[in-house]
Amino acid sequence: MNERVVVDPITRIEGHLRIEAEMDGQNIARAYSSGTMVRGIEIILRGRDPRDAWAYAQRICGVCTLVHGMASVRAVEDALKIPLPPNAQLIRNLMIGAQYIHDHVMHFYHLHALDWVDVVSALSADPAATSQLAQSISSWPKSSPGYFADVQKRIKNFVESGQLGIFANGYWGHPAYKLPPEANLMAVAHYLEALAWQREAAKLHAIFGGKNPHPNFVVGGVASPIDLNSDSAINSKKLAEVQDLIKSMQQFVDQVYVPDTLAIAGFYKDWAERGEGLGNFLCYGDMPEQGVLDESSFLFPRGAILNRDLSTIHDVDLHDDGQIQEFVSHSWYEYDDGPQAGLHPYKGETKLEYDGRGGVKPPYKHLDVGDGYSWLKSPRWNSESVEVGPLARMLLLYADSSAPAHAQAKELVDSSLSTLGLPIEALFSTLGRTAARTLESKIVADAMQTWYGNLIANIKAGDTKTFNETLWDPATWPAQARGAGYMEAPRGALGHWIVIENGKIANYQAVVPSTWNAGPRDPQGVPGAYEAALQDNTQLHDPKQPIEILRTIHSFDPCIACAVHVADPETGETIEIKVT
Ligand code: NFE
Ligand code: MG
């Protein structure tokens, strides 16, 4: 039997993920991705008032803290045909945009950077040379030799006290780390700065949604009335704060995140040749420029790309029951129609049996990669295994010349590739996925300024409406209705499907980005995106320190809490999985 490398749990992600790699010499021959914690949000939602669903669904995740609330209110609005005032949509855009910038910056510095940045090496950097490096790539003000000397002293104190804290247990000194000490020191300085900065970015949610995490939503609008002269509404002062926050996000992205990504990428060009995987990409699209939810003005266009073919964009329809289906052949779930069946989310089944002691009864008995090995299902689009997320969005933007941000995206991608001296094929890789996240952050931060301008223009023209109560009374609802709420969450295409009967939720299914990417094999044995990416030209230098697995898995920014949908509804306890 071939050697197997098991990483369990994968850290610096959200949730519980296990990766098993079957080796062929130094190469990963086959990889298996397991979500090892079960959730049951879909079951909790049945029988409830659809107008309340967002508040439950939002608890799917505390990382992408608003996206499930958003997808949920959109599902209800789609089912009941409730139109949205443009201001509400623009405010939603701004809230989604802030979520992207916050999430992506945190991911890059706090979850992904240490795969590429050696903290201990930063100790041997020359602060003056670090300052020169920083000033050569950016006008960010915190870049003096004294500043970097101070940061270095802080790291030294950590290391000498033997308390690396957040930096404990890294693979420091691993030969896969390629940055010179000065680049390591610069990146660690920005790691620490980003910790403080992210607190500010989260404030936009508090202004429009009352709090963060989990800002408030409402079916038919946003939970923030506009009245420029009221202390308890969105007034001139709050709008000015929003403007300051957008500027601060743009500045951090332009002067820190983008230059750091390019500087670090320059030392890891070999990672532009591995970690692609499927070559199939899916986007639902999101964030209309004028606040009317029509696809033609989406910042991120809708569509699918297959086999790297950027010349053809396939239409995507969330209501078509032949397009999006979930399979459970390698999951710990059972369908009434057996293990080969694929179900559209309107007809989706989530069956869990609880044992009354905080556990879940079989079908799960053990983890067996030849059989069942995950609490994630396997979503497929037109039977294809696809990748969702920043790389999918940047490729769609690059390919779709009718998209409003096409020109900006093309310029950003082409100039980044030219700076790095890499061909377009480099996008299809671990490095491409990480760079796509950075570049889309720039596009989103700039778009936020446009949406803000459009919101202000509406207000100046006298339109302050942010809520539409049409059809809010259940007496007016049809006896049966169903709807699909979609959005582009930071990690990719997110859909919530709701079936409403006699005013209550009859069925609810969420198919989330990390399920698309982290799901197990389908009945045809085709792997999910993580699995395929790990099987793509990946060698482990030292199976005991599998940093190469972390690089590719982290390039997707996993959120397994989202992917499996929350803890046991009876006790909230997690489940012990025995690996046999
Ligand atoms: Ni919990 Fe999420 C995002 C959603 S999961 S982080 O972005 O939906 O992939
Ligand atoms: Mg689901």
Side-chain angles (χ1 to χ4, degrees):
M1 194 169 147
N2 291 338
E3 187 189 359
R4 288 182 184 246
V5 174
V6 174
V7 189
D8 181 15
I10 296 263
T11 55
R12 281 185 279 121
I13 65 164
E14 204 297 327
H16 298 66
L17 177 68
R18 173 191 193 269
I19 294 291
E20 179 170 329
E22 187 186 330
M23 304 303 296
D24 175 9
Q26 285 207 312
N27 266 299
I28 296 179
R30 271 168 291 280
Y32 302 90
S33 161
S34 304
T36 56
M37 189 181 81
V38 71
R39 316 192 80 187
I41 281 275
E42 277 120 339
I43 300 167
I44 296 172
L45 280 165
R46 279 184 214 140
R48 294 187 190 274
D49 188 320
R51 292 166 299 179
D52 294 340
W54 67 268
Y56 293 89
Q58 204 179 36
R59 269 67 188 170
I60 286 174
C61 187
V63 174
C64 52
T65 78
L66 68 76
V67 304
H68 294 287
M70 187 80 73
S72 182
V73 291
R74 282 179 170 172
V76 181
E77 287 156 3
D78 184 50
L80 301 175
K81 308 286 170 262
I82 300 177
L84 206 65
N87 288 340
Q89 182 57 59
L90 289 167
I91 289 172
R92 288 182 182 184
N93 284 1
L94 289 169
M95 293 173 80
I96 301 170
Q99 173 79 71
Y100 268 69
I101 309 298
H102 181 269
D103 222 357
H104 286 359
V105 168
M106 294 270 295
H107 171 260
F108 183 77
Y109 289 100
H110 306 137
L111 303 178
H112 200 18
L114 302 184
D115 299 336
W116 314 98
V117 172
D118 185 335
V119 176
V120 174
S121 150
L123 292 177
S124 49
D126 170 8
T130 308
S131 165
Q132 265 177 10
L133 167 69
Q135 291 182 17
S136 74
I137 62 170
S138 171
S139 53
W140 184 243
K142 291 183 178 173
S143 60
S144 69
Y147 175 72
F148 286 115
D150 282 349
V151 172
Q152 198 176 36
K153 215 166 131 217
R154 282 172 71 189
I155 308 170
K156 200 157 170 256
N157 289 342
F158 274 139
V159 173
E160 282 178 352
S161 68
Q163 293 177 328
L164 273 168
I166 47 176
F167 300 133
N169 297 328
Y171 298 145
W172 314 131
H174 193 295
Y177 284 117
K178 303 289 188 205
L179 295 183
E182 285 70 28
N184 282 316
L185 178 57
M186 180 180 75
V188 176
H190 294 162
Y191 178 115
L192 297 170
E193 285 174 46
L195 277 176
W197 171 89
Q198 58 89 21
R199 284 200 304 264
E200 290 301 303
K203 281 186 183 164
L204 191 141
H205 286 179
I207 292 174
F208 287 122
K211 64 195 178 71
N212 173 289
H214 297 151
N216 294 310
F217 281 100
V218 62
V219 169
V222 287
S224 36
I226 297 172
D227 181 345
L228 296 184
N229 302 311
S230 166
D231 280 344
S232 53
I234 300 299
N235 54 30
S236 306
K237 184 164 160 266
K238 286 188 179 148
L239 287 169
E241 258 181 79
V242 170
Q243 176 63 88
D244 289 346
L245 289 169
I246 293 171
K247 290 281 175 225
S248 142
M249 291 190 223
Q250 282 184 305
Q251 192 191 16
F252 202 88
V253 169
D254 286 348
Q255 297 183 15
V256 186
Y257 185 20
V258 172
D260 279 359
T261 302
L262 291 175
I264 293 171
F267 291 92
Y268 290 106
K269 292 184 197 174
D270 51 328
W271 282 87
E273 288 163 15
R274 62 175 70 104
E276 172 194 7
L278 299 169
N280 298 330
F281 302 91
L282 171 72
C283 286
Y284 294 157
D286 205 351
M287 294 183 279
E289 188 168 305
Q290 298 293 338
V292 180
L293 201 60
D294 80 285
E295 285 170 38
S296 64
S297 78
F298 279 172
L299 177 68
F300 294 126
R302 171 176 294 186
I305 289 170
L306 297 178
N307 302 316
R308 287 188 177 193
D309 177 7
L310 300 183
S311 69
T312 308
I313 298 174
H314 302 268
D315 288 339
V316 170
D317 181 349
L318 282 84
H319 298 276
D320 179 344
D321 63 9
Q323 287 203 10
I324 293 166
Q325 295 184 326
E326 286 193 295
F327 295 85
V328 294
S329 62
H330 291 78
S331 313
W332 290 308
Y333 298 100
E334 282 175 356
Y335 279 166
D336 287 343
D337 291 344
Q340 305 298 311
L343 296 183
H344 185 270
Y346 280 140
K347 304 213 170 106
E349 298 172 6
T350 305
K351 286 200 233 158
L352 296 174
E353 259 192 273
Y354 302 99
D355 65 7
R357 292 177 291 114
V360 175
K361 286 185 184 170
Y364 115 80
K365 284 198 187 72
H366 51 247
L367 194 154
D368 176 356
V369 295
D371 183 13
Y373 59 95
S374 187
W375 285 116
L376 277 63
K377 298 175 181 173
S378 309
R380 294 294 180 264
W381 177 78
N382 272 353
S383 304
E384 302 281 355
S385 188
V386 299
E387 169 176 347
V388 300
L391 179 56
R393 287 188 287 255
M394 286 305 292
L395 289 172
L396 254 294
L397 268 182
Y398 196 87
D400 184 351
S401 57
S402 71
H406 167 74
Q408 186 191 12
K410 193 163 174 344
E411 209 282 313
L412 278 172
V413 169
D414 290 344
S415 68
S416 302
L417 288 170
S418 129
T419 303
L420 294 168
L422 288 171
I424 181 93
E425 291 76 25
L427 291 173
F428 302 97
S429 68
T430 295
L431 191 69
R433 193 173 294 118
T434 293
R437 188 173 293 104
T438 305
L439 297 183
E440 79 166 7
S441 297
K442 159 104 185 115
I443 290 170
V444 169
D446 291 352
M448 286 178 76
Q449 188 59 49
T450 305
W451 303 326
Y452 178 81
N454 292 345
L455 176 66
I456 297 295
N458 285 353
I459 295 171
K460 281 195 174 146
D463 176 10
T464 55
K465 194 173 159 81
T466 58
F467 174 64
N468 185 343
E469 54 217 298
T470 323
L471 285 179
W472 231 69
D473 177 1
T476 63
W477 298 354
Q480 294 196 315
R482 58 189 207 174
Y486 60 86
M487 66 162 304
E488 284 295 325
R491 287 159 196 75
L494 166 66
H496 285 205
W497 284 260
I498 192 168
V499 179
I500 302 171
E501 283 175 10
N502 302 317
K504 299 283 187 236
I505 298 172
N507 201 9
Y508 200 99
Q509 287 289 325
V511 183
V512 318
S514 291
T515 314
W516 283 103
N517 287 338
R521 283 162 173 69
D522 61 26
Q524 272 64 53
V526 178
Y530 289 8
E531 298 177 328
L534 287 173
Q535 291 173 192
D536 180 359
N537 186 27
T538 307
Q539 299 80 33
L540 300 189
H541 175 82
D542 173 4
K544 296 210 161 35
Q545 297 202 324
I547 191 171
E548 298 87 353
I549 291 179
L550 295 184
R551 285 179 176 174
T552 290
I553 292 296
H554 284 153
S555 75
F556 286 94
D557 189 7
C559 177
I560 307 304
C562 272
V564 292
H565 313 191
V566 156
D568 182 323
E570 287 188 354
T571 66
E573 288 176 18
T574 56
I575 312 300
E576 241 181 70
I577 303 277
K578 282 215 180 85
V579 182
T580 52

